[in-house]
Amino acid sequence: MPEVRISVWLCSSWSRLARGQLLRQEKDEASPARGCAAGFVECLHSPICRGVKVLCLVEARFHAQEIFSPHAGLSIINLLCIVAGLLKDQSMLKLRMFVMATAGCWMVSAVSAATLTEDFSVDPLQRGWQSFGVASLFQWDSTNHNLAVTWDSSKTNSYFYHSLGTILTTNDAFSLDFDLQLRQAEAASYGSELAVGFLQLSDATSAAFLRTSGTSPNVAEFDYFPPSLGEPSIDATLIDRSNNFYFRYATAPLNVGQTYHIRLSHGAGGTTLSGEVLTNGQPYTTLTNIYGATSADFRLDVVALASYQDDGFGDTLLAQGTVDNLVVTLPPPPVQSFTGVFSNGFWQGQFMSQSNWIYTLERTTDFRVWAATSVATPGNGATVVLQDASPANRAVFYRVRAERP
């Protein structure tokens, strides 16, 4: 089951020795060479040794968009240190927050929604972008500040991708905007597609995932098929967890040298994907033709530029172009306005939940073994309280596990 975890370390006492050890540990963990994965930025919001110290590590969410905002939503009581960051851990996305405090209460409020932007003004590899497959197909242009992409179906499946920091399903509203300019687009036989959109990374990187043969679950993307034996086609494609296809399309070419603005959108609870293409701010085409019935549920966790391997029957694609000004709009995070407090010796967390998520409070003393300490509680779009069933008689770590059912 896909999940996001929010972890909390709460200390009920604070000694001079412990404080010194902690500050040395923080210094090590804050070092980009030792503690931070690619794409993390460091923000020091107040000096060390002034009573309150905040050290915040937040993933560079494209154009410095932060999922937690210290300016609007961070309340600090006495000595508090927060380290926040989005970490990729195999097929699991973890949103970790470590809190150390003398007081038994802390609060963090998340923004209501996330807008992720990338204008490629700096090397995207420094902002958390990663590649899979043939990395040379994706090159940052430091002069023109865009991403040069080659879609070559003779190569294995290859992606340039960024974690969304959440898991999208059919219950969520989300959208994708970007600019596309092609320098070359050639297809043979019935051709293949160039693609930009959303994937579930664990599926897309599987050897069984072959977009051109139709074995490709959990996809929501823009596709363009250049003219070949068939007419050119601009598509908005949605594929659910069971590999059922739905797409809207328009029979129209994307002309070489012309910049197009692409927009995909999915409505909350919807079973379809809509798309439109603009040039110079004016509509070029809308995708009004429909193939397939409505889709079922899906899981998406990355935004990606995708070069797919061809089907081996001569239906090939070779295209080159640039992608720029990419914007992803995501739903609110699964945990918002989180507060934690000791009540009669028992620690409890309270937060604004989201529907279609399941929440469990977990605790550990060593980061090796985590144990559930509350019942699994479904979100309802309102406040949820999770309480440790046992008293915290020593320093322990807590985390909230948020899972998609």
Side-chain angles (χ1 to χ4, degrees):
M1 184 182 301
E3 61 187 25
V4 174
R5 293 179 178 177
I6 296 182
S7 304
V8 179
W9 182 12
L10 239 159
C11 298
S12 57
S13 62
W14 196 267
S15 69
R16 183 185 300 272
L17 176 61
R19 180 176 181 276
Q21 291 173 339
L22 177 62
L23 293 181
R24 287 194 296 274
Q25 180 183 1
E26 288 168 2
K27 183 178 180 181
D28 289 342
E29 290 178 347
S31 168
R34 296 186 63 181
C36 300
F40 280 62
V41 294
E42 179 178 308
C43 304
L44 188 62
H45 296 283
S46 61
I48 301 175
C49 303
R50 288 191 184 177
V52 175
K53 173 177 175 285
V54 178
L55 180 65
C56 185
L57 297 180
V58 181
E59 183 180 15
R61 299 185 59 75
F62 300 96
H63 203 301
Q65 298 288 333
E66 297 183 3
I67 199 164
F68 291 98
S69 173
H71 304 289
L74 183 61
S75 174
I76 305 165
I77 301 177
N78 293 332
L79 183 61
L80 178 68
C81 175
I82 295 180
V83 179
L86 287 169
L87 302 177
K88 179 71 172 61
D89 183 10
Q90 298 177 359
S91 63
M92 185 185 304
L93 294 173
K94 293 183 180 178
L95 179 56
R96 288 184 177 176
M97 188 171 299
F98 302 91
V99 178
M100 289 69 73
T102 52
C105 177
W106 66 279
M107 179 178 71
V108 174
S109 295
V111 294
S112 60
T115 300
L116 315 178
T117 67
E118 178 59 84
D119 63 4
F120 299 102
S121 59
V122 300
D123 186 349
L125 293 176
Q126 298 179 7
R127 290 181 170 177
W129 288 86
Q130 301 177 66
S131 61
F132 172 86
V134 183
S136 60
L137 298 177
F138 313 97
Q139 298 291 327
W140 176 55
D141 187 331
S142 60
T143 301
N144 296 311
H145 294 165
N146 56 38
L147 190 72
V149 184
T150 298
W151 291 271
D152 185 348
S153 68
S154 70
K155 310 296 184 183
T156 58
N157 288 342
S158 301
Y159 313 109
F160 196 69
Y161 67 92
H162 198 295
S163 168
L164 298 176
T166 190
I167 302 159
L168 300 176
T169 75
T170 190
N171 298 301
D172 297 316
F174 57 89
S175 65
L176 170 65
D177 287 74
F178 62 95
D179 292 338
L180 173 67
Q181 184 181 100
L182 295 176
R183 298 197 312 271
Q184 174 189 9
E186 300 175 356
S189 188
Y190 288 98
S192 184
E193 69 270 60
L194 63 87
V196 182
F198 302 99
L199 302 168
Q200 177 161 275
L201 189 62
S202 60
D203 284 332
T205 55
S206 167
F209 187 95
L210 291 175
R211 183 72 174 80
T212 50
S213 65
T215 55
S216 49
N218 293 310
V219 171
E221 68 184 12
F222 165 83
D223 296 310
Y224 175 57
F225 294 80
S228 55
L229 292 181
E231 296 180 298
S233 184
I234 301 171
D235 299 8
T237 303
L238 184 61
I239 310 173
D240 66 20
R241 301 172 76 180
S242 300
N243 216 49
N244 297 310
F245 278 68
Y246 169 91
F247 60 88
R248 292 176 178 265
Y249 68 99
T251 304
L254 296 181
N255 298 316
V256 171
Q258 175 69 54
T259 298
Y260 297 93
H261 183 79
I262 314 298
R263 179 174 298 153
L264 297 179
S265 59
H266 177 271
T271 57
T272 64
L273 188 68
S274 63
E276 61 179 327
V277 181
L278 299 92
T279 55
N280 301 315
Q282 301 299 315
Y284 172 68
T285 186
T286 54
L287 311 184
T288 56
N289 301 309
I290 297 175
Y291 172 87
T294 56
S295 64
D297 201 8
F298 50 79
R299 297 289 186 272
L300 308 168
D301 56 20
V302 298
V303 59
L305 292 82
S307 176
Y308 294 124
Q309 181 178 341
D310 62 48
D311 57 12
F313 296 100
D315 303 316
T316 62
L317 168 74
L318 179 61
Q320 293 181 317
T322 58
V323 172
D324 202 356
N325 300 318
L326 187 147
V327 179
V328 178
T329 303
L330 296 170
V335 176
Q336 298 183 86
S337 302
F338 191 101
T339 62
V341 64
F342 282 107
S343 177
N344 297 321
F346 295 86
W347 195 85
Q348 65 180 24
Q350 177 175 301
F351 54 91
M352 182 63 67
S353 68
Q354 295 291 330
S355 299
N356 304 299
W357 288 85
I358 297 175
Y359 302 92
T360 308
L361 184 66
E362 296 181 335
R363 64 182 283 177
T364 186
T365 58
D366 58 11
F367 280 108
R368 295 183 179 90
V369 179
W370 290 87
T373 188
S374 75
V375 297
T377 304
N380 56 9
T383 299
V384 165
V385 177
L386 301 178
Q387 179 169 301
D388 190 343
S390 304
N393 51 16
R394 58 175 173 162
V396 297
F397 297 83
Y398 289 98
R399 70 184 181 193
V400 174
R401 186 176 70 233
E403 298 177 295
R404 284 289 200 182

